[in-house]
Amino acid sequence: MTGVEVAGVGMHPFGRFPEKALKDLVRESTARALADAGIGIRDVQAVYASNGMAGLLQGQEQIRGQSALRDIGIERVPIVNIDNACAGGSSAFREAVLAIRAGAADTVLAVGFEKMFVADRDRSLAALETAADIELTGGLGLQFTAIYAMRLRKRIDAGLLRERDLVDVTVKNHYNGSLNPNAQHRKPVTPEQILESRPIADPLTLLMCSSFSDGAAAVVLRRAGTGTVEGRPRVRVAAAAAASGYTAGPEDDLPSTATTCATSAYEQAGLGPDAVDVVEVHDAMAPGELLYYEQLGLCEVGQAGDLLASGATAITGRIPVNPSGGLSARGHPVGATGLAQLCELVWQLRGEAGARQSNQPRVALAQNSGGWLSGEPAACNVHILERVDAWT
Amino acid sequence: MTGVEVAGVGMHPFGRFPEKALKDLVRESTARALADAGIGIRDVQAVYASNGMAGLLQGQEQIRGQSALRDIGIERVPIVNIDNACAGGSSAFREAVLAIRAGAADTVLAVGFEKMFVADRDRSLAALETAADIELTGGLGLQFTAIYAMRLRKRIDAGLLRERDLVDVTVKNHYNGSLNPNAQHRKPVTPEQILESRPIADPLTLLMCSSFSDGAAAVVLRRAGTGTVEGRPRVRVAAAAAASGYTAGPEDDLPSTATTCATSAYEQAGLGPDAVDVVEVHDAMAPGELLYYEQLGLCEVGQAGDLLASGATAITGRIPVNPSGGLSARGHPVGATGLAQLCELVWQLRGEAGARQSNQPRVALAQNSGGWLSGEPAACNVHILERVDAWT
């Protein structure tokens, strides 16, 4: 099969940028990814553009990618707009991988962008609700936060998690975010601050939750051998797995969508969770990370709290999770998040993560989820990246 | 390269269906395509879902495909939402082709759907405007109709088209539409009726223009050899080409986006326009078909009117164009149109087009455009399909 490598990554920092248009975020993140790949705009042969809410929030629907990219001179080449709610970024990445494997292009840009801070906060909240089936949940107030809260409460009541774990994972991720110049929330927080922050949906408090965010992230993918930047470690795509959620009754014993994806990704990459060195997961609420420890096979069911408490998932641990700070600290501009995860992992694999650098990782895994169908994500993607060159 | 075949096609008729929800259109078109392919919902391994305006018109953004498909039990598999304005349907088709070529799936569904008739007509018009860069054209009233009108007027003034040609091509396409049970407008029209219908933007009158439409179209693609329905002629995908528009000054001498796509498609298929037997083009205004005769290489510049007048592009002619009736007669539900073109061509290649059947075609070409960037479509796809089995 055609090898695919990540040739360049770039982000516009996540945060609140009232002075910038959505196009500015796209331009800056793309310019950084192209420079990182050592290529120019004329080298880009295809684009997958991810966005979730520009139609509802900025009024630009239908050709979101083309209108943003034309500004920077990327035109003529195939541009496809991808929307998969919070998983759109990784869906764009996966389509780019498939396009290269299919022989349709050698050099492909995947770019994700979102501007959630608009004048009317209620419009952003309403737009977020469209990530679920509006016929079933529209107007119920059954947003992501509530769904995460119910899942966590159920696990706590079943003795599979402690309330303390929810706080500790939030402390870890905000600390990681404090080391990340691209993060929206860059201050460490204490357990007291977390518990004293506004209750959102029991057991979640404000500091456990991701917030509105503006931001963009871009990745350049190339067919292996198409070109490399001298002195830079190569990173290959070892697996690109996708699945959608399902409608299940409470008694159904189906694997979670993330598990379905991860199982497929491990098989594609020819390795298991033990071989993974660094991970980014979709913790739209920081404690969600604990659920993914189990779903990705990083620990047994009921052991997530212990894995966290052991320090294994800290940046200095055996298998760092969310060294970027994750969604709750880095920020979560919907269409950009999946690509920001992949940017972080590429920096980790290259040894370019600065104060967040984990210990010489070789295999990295990103898990990105989006939308809801009866409690399971409507879309989920798991990618595994692998450093090609040995650490020296 | 992995061969890809069209295993099944199905449409929900185009028209005005106030009693049906968007999901109903998806369900019915998908059921028909699966039945046509002789498979069940459990055989579908991936889905590409195309829609342009459900976020703005129905309030369902972000997971448009998942929310519609869950209703019919298609879940768990990768579902990716594609938006490329009026070209979204063919973009979804192309992503399905690439996914199979990349080895990511053997059986993929591409489904496009749109419901443009909503209670407030102005909302639909405003949503249509988002197919252009709203920063440049928002609120100008510079809609597709006006752009087509200016292009046609310029060509008439240059002596490259006659006003008569605009009328005659509309007569042809409405006649074809009258033979199509899936068409929105199923009455033949006379030149007098066309010229007496309401002026829209000189030289275009109402009957030359496509209208709001509700509808859906679905196509099942399979890796060659995955399974065939006994006694049914096989249809393979010979080319899948895509491009985006560009920003050009009036003096620039760049090929049109459709020409760029068609050139690439002919190269992929190893044939030229002379080998093409039947064509569907994106005539959002019926006279647009004449521009595409030239852009696709079916005739020389300035010869479009003569090609039409010769009868060559009638159903009974040498190279029938828009046997379905095209966008102006079949209807143009934005996200569905590109897939409806491909449905029509499959029926033609199989000999299943009934009263619209052209004479034993072997090679078929579909051209689908979407959105606008400074006068060129923001997205364009050209696909070439080929009948594998000999006509007997």
Side-chain angles (χ1 to χ4, degrees):
Chain A
M1 186 186 291
T2 305
V4 180
E5 298 187 356
V6 179
V9 295
M11 282 180 66
H12 185 288
F14 289 2
R16 183 172 193 152
F17 301 97
E19 76 287 5
K20 293 194 181 181
L22 192 52
K23 289 179 179 179
D24 297 324
L25 309 180
V26 175
R27 184 175 59 250
E28 294 181 35
S29 60
T30 299
R32 284 180 191 137
L34 296 182
D36 190 47
I39 66 173
I41 55 170
R42 298 286 170 200
D43 297 310
V44 175
Q45 296 170 346
V47 181
Y48 292 90
S50 156
N51 173 268
M53 297 181 283
L56 297 173
L57 298 183
Q58 281 79 37
Q60 181 66 68
E61 190 69 305
Q62 301 203 66
I63 59 160
R64 311 177 214 180
Q66 288 92 339
S67 63
L69 292 160
R70 184 256 296 273
D71 256 23
I72 47 177
I74 297 182
E75 47 185 19
R76 304 187 69 79
V77 301
I79 299 175
V80 177
N81 299 293
I82 302 283
D83 188 359
N84 249 350
C86 310
S90 56
S91 289
F93 182 91
R94 184 166 179 268
E95 291 306 307
V97 170
L98 299 187
I100 295 171
R101 286 188 184 159
D106 289 338
T107 303
V108 183
L109 170 71
V111 58
F113 45 96
E114 206 79 57
K115 193 165 168 58
M116 298 168 72
F117 283 110
V118 295
D120 179 359
R121 185 171 164 279
D122 287 345
R123 276 181 62 209
S124 293
L125 286 172
L128 272 172
E129 264 198 81
T130 68
D133 186 325
I134 54 157
E135 279 187 21
L136 297 181
T137 61
L140 286 185
L142 190 63
Q143 286 173 324
F144 296 84
T145 324
I147 296 173
Y148 269 100
M150 289 189 286
R151 301 199 129 195
L152 289 163
R153 170 53 60 203
K154 186 177 170 190
R155 294 185 76 74
I156 292 167
D157 291 347
L160 296 168
L161 272 183
R162 299 168 295 241
E163 304 232 11
R164 175 67 198 256
D165 302 326
L166 278 56
V167 174
D168 289 347
V169 74
T170 306
V171 169
K172 170 180 82 69
N173 285 350
H174 276 264
Y175 171 74
N176 293 357
S178 77
L179 307 175
N180 185 353
N182 287 310
Q184 178 169 13
H185 303 292
R186 296 174 59 189
K187 282 188 190 156
V189 295
T190 65
E192 293 68 34
Q193 286 173 315
I194 294 166
L195 287 169
E196 285 164 15
S197 67
R198 185 153 63 86
I200 299 295
D202 175 74
L204 295 171
T205 67
L206 184 66
L207 285 175
M208 296 178 183
C209 302
S210 63
S211 50
F212 286 1
S213 191
D214 303 337
V219 173
V220 174
L221 291 138
R222 304 195 83 171
R223 184 167 59 75
T226 307
T228 50
V229 175
E230 185 135 7
R232 168 160 310 149
R234 289 163 57 205
V235 172
R236 64 181 278 270
V237 180
S244 293
Y246 55 87
T247 311
E251 305 307 315
D252 284 347
D253 195 23
L254 293 168
S256 74
T257 308
T259 299
T260 300
C261 267
T263 304
S264 167
Y266 291 137
E267 192 181 309
Q268 287 179 36
L271 50 79
D274 289 350
V276 177
D277 299 310
V278 60
V279 178
E280 288 274 314
V281 301
H282 191 84
D283 62 327
M285 316 301 145
E289 177 175 313
L290 300 163
L291 307 178
Y292 288 123
Y293 288 176
E294 297 174 3
Q295 294 184 14
L296 300 176
L298 307 184
C299 69
E300 298 295 317
V301 172
Q303 302 299 311
D306 290 346
L307 184 69
L308 175 75
S310 77
T313 59
I315 288 175
T316 51
R318 175 175 57 79
I319 180 164
V321 178
N322 284 340
S324 69
L327 279 60
S328 57
R330 183 185 50 216
H332 179 29
V334 166
T337 285
L339 286 160
Q341 292 180 323
L342 291 153
C343 288
E344 175 69 16
L345 294 180
V346 168
W347 287 321
Q348 292 285 342
L349 291 172
R350 287 183 186 162
E352 298 174 357
R356 311 183 307 289
Q357 182 62 50
S358 60
N359 183 29
Q360 302 197 340
R362 200 181 63 80
V363 177
L365 181 148
Q367 174 267 328
N368 184 208
S369 297
W372 286 103
L373 292 175
S374 302
E376 277 294 308
C380 180
N381 297 297
V382 170
H383 287 97
I384 297 177
L385 305 181
E386 205 165 4
R387 182 183 160 114
V388 176
D389 306 287
W391 282 89
T392 52
Chain B
M1 187 186 291
T2 306
V4 179
E5 298 187 358
V6 179
V9 295
M11 282 179 65
H12 184 288
F14 289 1
R16 183 173 192 150
F17 301 97
E19 76 287 7
K20 293 194 180 181
L22 192 53
K23 289 179 179 179
D24 296 324
L25 309 179
V26 174
R27 184 176 58 249
E28 294 182 34
S29 60
T30 299
R32 284 180 190 136
L34 297 182
D36 190 47
I39 65 173
I41 54 170
R42 299 283 171 203
D43 296 310
V44 175
Q45 297 169 346
V47 181
Y48 291 91
S50 156
N51 173 269
M53 297 180 283
L56 296 172
L57 297 183
Q58 281 78 39
Q60 182 65 67
E61 190 69 305
Q62 301 203 66
I63 58 160
R64 311 177 213 181
Q66 287 92 339
S67 63
L69 292 160
R70 185 255 298 271
D71 256 24
I72 48 177
I74 297 182
E75 46 186 18
R76 305 188 67 81
V77 301
I79 299 174
V80 177
N81 299 293
I82 302 284
D83 188 359
N84 249 349
C86 310
S90 56
S91 289
F93 182 91
R94 184 165 179 269
E95 291 306 308
V97 171
L98 298 188
I100 295 171
R101 286 188 185 158
D106 288 339
T107 302
V108 182
L109 170 70
V111 57
F113 46 94
E114 206 79 57
K115 193 166 168 58
M116 297 168 71
F117 283 111
V118 295
D120 179 359
R121 185 171 164 278
D122 287 345
R123 275 181 64 207
S124 293
L125 286 172
L128 272 172
E129 264 199 80
T130 68
D133 187 326
I134 54 157
E135 280 187 21
L136 297 181
T137 61
L140 285 184
L142 189 63
Q143 286 174 323
F144 296 83
T145 324
I147 296 172
Y148 268 100
M150 290 189 285
R151 301 199 128 194
L152 290 163
R153 171 54 58 204
K154 186 176 169 190
R155 293 187 77 74
I156 292 167
D157 291 348
L160 297 168
L161 272 182
R162 299 167 294 243
E163 304 232 11
R164 175 66 198 256
D165 303 326
L166 279 56
V167 174
D168 290 347
V169 73
T170 307
V171 169
K172 170 181 82 69
N173 285 350
H174 276 264
Y175 171 74
N176 292 357
S178 77
L179 307 175
N180 185 352
N182 287 309
Q184 178 169 15
H185 304 292
R186 296 173 57 188
K187 282 188 188 156
V189 295
T190 64
E192 293 68 36
Q193 286 173 313
I194 293 166
L195 287 168
E196 284 163 16
S197 68
R198 185 154 62 86
I200 300 294
D202 174 75
L204 296 170
T205 67
L206 184 66
L207 285 175
M208 296 178 183
C209 303
S210 63
S211 51
F212 286 0
S213 191
D214 304 337
V219 173
V220 174
L221 291 137
R222 304 195 82 172
R223 184 166 59 76
T226 309
T228 51
V229 175
E230 186 134 8
R232 169 160 308 152
R234 288 163 57 205
V235 172
R236 63 181 280 269
V237 180
S244 293
Y246 55 88
T247 311
E251 305 307 316
D252 285 347
D253 196 23
L254 292 168
S256 75
T257 308
T259 300
T260 300
C261 267
T263 304
S264 167
Y266 291 137
E267 192 181 309
Q268 287 178 36
L271 50 79
D274 288 351
V276 177
D277 300 310
V278 60
V279 177
E280 287 273 315
V281 301
H282 191 86
D283 63 326
M285 316 302 146
E289 177 176 315
L290 300 162
L291 306 178
Y292 290 123
Y293 288 176
E294 298 175 3
Q295 294 184 13
L296 300 175
L298 307 184
C299 70
E300 298 295 316
V301 172
Q303 302 300 311
D306 290 347
L307 184 69
L308 175 75
S310 76
T313 58
I315 287 174
T316 51
R318 175 175 58 78
I319 180 164
V321 177
N322 284 341
S324 69
L327 279 60
S328 56
R330 183 184 52 216
H332 179 29
V334 166
T337 285
L339 286 159
Q341 293 180 323
L342 291 153
C343 289
E344 176 69 16
L345 294 179
V346 168
W347 287 320
Q348 292 285 341
L349 291 171
R350 287 183 185 162
E352 299 175 355
R356 312 181 308 287
Q357 183 61 49
S358 59
N359 183 28
Q360 302 198 340
R362 202 182 61 80
V363 176
L365 180 148
Q367 172 268 328
N368 184 208
S369 296
W372 287 104
L373 291 175
S374 301
E376 277 293 308
C380 181
N381 298 297
V382 171
H383 287 96
I384 297 177
L385 305 180
E386 205 164 5
R387 182 184 160 113
V388 175
D389 306 288
W391 282 89
T392 51

